Structure formats: structure tokens, C-alpha cells
Amino acid sequence: MTTPKYRRVVLKISGEALAGAGGYGIDPTVIRDIAQQITDVQKLDVQVAVVVGAGNIWRGLSGSQMGMDRATADYMGMLATVMNALALQDALEKLGVATRVQSSIEMSQVAEPYIRRRAIRHLEKGRVVIFAGGTGNPFFSTDTTAALRAAEIEAEVILMAKNGVDGVYTADPQKDPTATKYSEVDFMQVLNEGLGVMDSTAASLCMDNDIPLLVFSLNEEGNIRKAVIGEKIGTMVGSGATGRDESK
Ligand code: UDP
């Protein structure tokens, strides 16, 4: 049997990844595929906590650009993450994986409230825990939520499953054809060079708490499993990384 590299992980799935080719809302085929990938990882006895975003439904920043109050628009974004969380829970439970959604905004009819110790207990019992509602605070992101929850539940790594990008590049590969992918990079470099990995609040939280981050593509079949067993995919972001890029 394959021995996983990690025993407890936080998997961050952006809202965009759930939208599939449509670009908006939830694509049932995509969510089934993600649920299947999580199920495969569960079978390796790995404790999986998931943080979902909401960019497929609503982003606070877009709302505020339309003239809305930023805090209100952000709360709408947090509510949208709950919809994604429920869709993922449904898909996981259809595959027979016991799943609990914990929301940082209380919503007792549809989700448990976020209770750290209870989340850990669920994980120990082999249940997938989906953290919904972001941090519960406006002006933050679900990347920051992933960093915060990973610190709280003492996860060994954040698996940052990206849509359409397979790691961290020296520059935006869509705009700069000479851009190369890092195999490892330091959080300080991410912050100093403004590399598009996660927002700076999230990156500093990971750096300050020594939480490594593996950035990889969700679009390749079986990548979550590869990440968990320690196969070399994507880019590892962590303190003390060499900042090597793959072309060298
Ligand atoms: N959000 C927030 N506080 C949080 C997490 C999320 O206000 O702690 C809001 C924010 O408006 C954000 C939206 O929820 O735009 C969706 O989250 P995010 O943009 O991180 O989703 P993703 O990009 O991962 O799909």
C-alpha cells in the first residue's frame, strides 16, 4: 500500500475550479470529479479538511466595484462559499464519504458552526470536514481561511489546487512566454516579488506559522493523490526554499 507523505491536509479549492468550462456556478461533472479525487485520498487514511472559495458565484471586490458597500459584498461572498460547500458535501456523500460542513457564519439549519475541537474530532473519525463561510470576516479571502484553519487544526500542508495553472511561475505565463515554473519558492520571495500564489495576508500567515503550501493543477487527473503521496508536482512554497526554477 502507498504510504502518504501527509497525515492531515487542508485542501483549498477555489470557486472558479467548481465552475468548469461554463465559468459560472457549479458544474456537476467537475464537482463529482473533485469528490472522487478526495475519496481516493481518504482511502489512504489521510485526514482531509477542505476550504472552498466562491469566485464562481460572487466576489466581494466585484460587488464593491459596482458601488456596493465592501463589507456587505464580502458577506455575500462568504455566504456563496456555503453553497459550494453544500454541493461538495452532497457529491462526497454520494460516494459514501461521511462529510461535515462547518460554517464560520452561523447557519444551524444547513451546517455546523465552526468549532475547532469538533473539526479535529471529525477528522480523526475519518470524516471530511468542509470549512465554509471563509474566516467569517469581511476584507479577508478564502486563501487566508485556508492558512488560518491549517494553523488551527495543525495540518502539515495546504494543498492549493489551482484551476488552469500548475504551479508558481517567475512571471504570468499567459503574458510572458519566457516565464518558468519554480519547483520550490520561499514565502518571502512570493511576498517581495508579488508572485500570484495567494494574497499577502494568507502568505504571511503561512510564513509566520511555518505552514508549507503546495501549488498544483486540479485539472490533471489524480493530482490531489499525487500531492498527498509526495510525488513531485507543482511548486512547493515554504520557508527556506531555494527558489529554484525548473529550467535550471
Ligand atoms: N470572503 C470574505 N472573508 C473571508 C473569505 C471570503 O469576505 O474570510 C469573501 C470575499 O468577498 C471573497 C469571497 O468571499 O471575494 C469569495 O472568496 P474568494 O475570493 O477567496 O474565493 P476564491 O477566489 O477562492 O474562489
Side-chain angles (χ1 to χ4, degrees):
M1 176 164 163
T2 320
T3 315
K5 182 172 177 191
Y6 306 108
R7 283 290 163 199
R8 181 177 291 165
V9 302
V10 166
L11 174 66
K12 165 70 209 297
I13 299 173
S14 69
E16 227 176 61
L18 303 177
Y24 182 83
I26 300 165
D27 181 326
T29 319
V30 170
I31 209 148
R32 260 199 306 273
D33 171 65
I34 295 172
Q36 184 61 58
Q37 289 206 48
I38 295 173
T39 309
D40 294 343
V41 167
Q42 268 266 311
K43 287 189 191 134
L44 298 173
D45 250 351
V46 176
Q47 299 178 13
V48 187
V50 185
V51 171
V52 281
N56 56 326
I57 302 172
W58 182 263
R59 272 184 214 283
L61 202 56
S62 322
S64 76
Q65 280 159 358
M66 283 161 20
M68 278 186 77
D69 175 58
R70 173 70 194 265
T72 305
D74 276 344
Y75 277 112
M76 288 171 65
M78 288 184 259
L79 296 181
T81 68
V82 181
M83 291 173 62
N84 284 335
L86 293 180
L88 185 59
Q89 177 180 41
D90 179 79
L92 281 163
E93 296 214 316
K94 291 243 158 63
L95 294 173
V97 181
T99 306
R100 299 289 184 271
V101 176
Q102 289 204 342
S103 172
S104 27
I105 295 178
E106 257 196 77
M107 226 179 282
S108 55
Q109 282 83 356
V110 294
E112 291 180 8
Y114 171 64
I115 299 171
R116 177 182 161 266
R117 293 173 70 105
R118 191 189 278 187
I120 293 172
R121 189 80 191 110
H122 286 321
L123 291 171
E124 285 168 351
K125 286 190 169 174
R127 297 170 184 144
V128 169
V129 178
I130 306 174
F131 293 125
T135 62
N137 302 288
F139 302 99
F140 287 93
S141 66
T142 52
D143 286 353
T144 303
T145 311
L148 178 63
R149 296 292 181 249
E152 288 187 84
I153 66 167
E154 294 175 15
E156 296 152 84
V157 68
I158 298 172
L159 304 178
M160 188 88 149
K162 291 271 191 188
N163 193 32
V165 196
D166 64 351
V168 184
Y169 282 77
T170 49
D172 184 347
Q174 310 280 356
K175 294 179 191 150
D176 181 352
T178 64
T180 51
K181 190 172 85 180
Y182 287 110
S183 55
E184 290 177 13
V185 69
D186 196 282
F187 277 116
M188 203 42 115
Q189 197 176 347
V190 166
L191 286 166
N192 287 341
E193 294 176 19
L195 301 174
V197 179
M198 60 194 332
D199 58 85
S200 56
T201 313
S204 341
L205 202 54
C206 286
M207 183 173 74
D208 292 349
N209 292 288
D210 256 328
I211 305 164
L213 178 82
L214 183 66
V215 184
F216 63 98
S217 165
L218 186 61
N219 310 93
E220 268 165 64
E221 188 65 34
N223 254 1
I224 302 179
R225 185 174 188 279
K226 283 184 192 161
V228 162
I229 63 175
E231 259 184 51
K232 255 191 125 15
I233 55 164
T235 301
M236 181 59 89
V237 190
S239 305
T242 53
R244 269 201 317 265
D245 78 49
E246 277 182 355
S247 58
K248 305 215 170 92

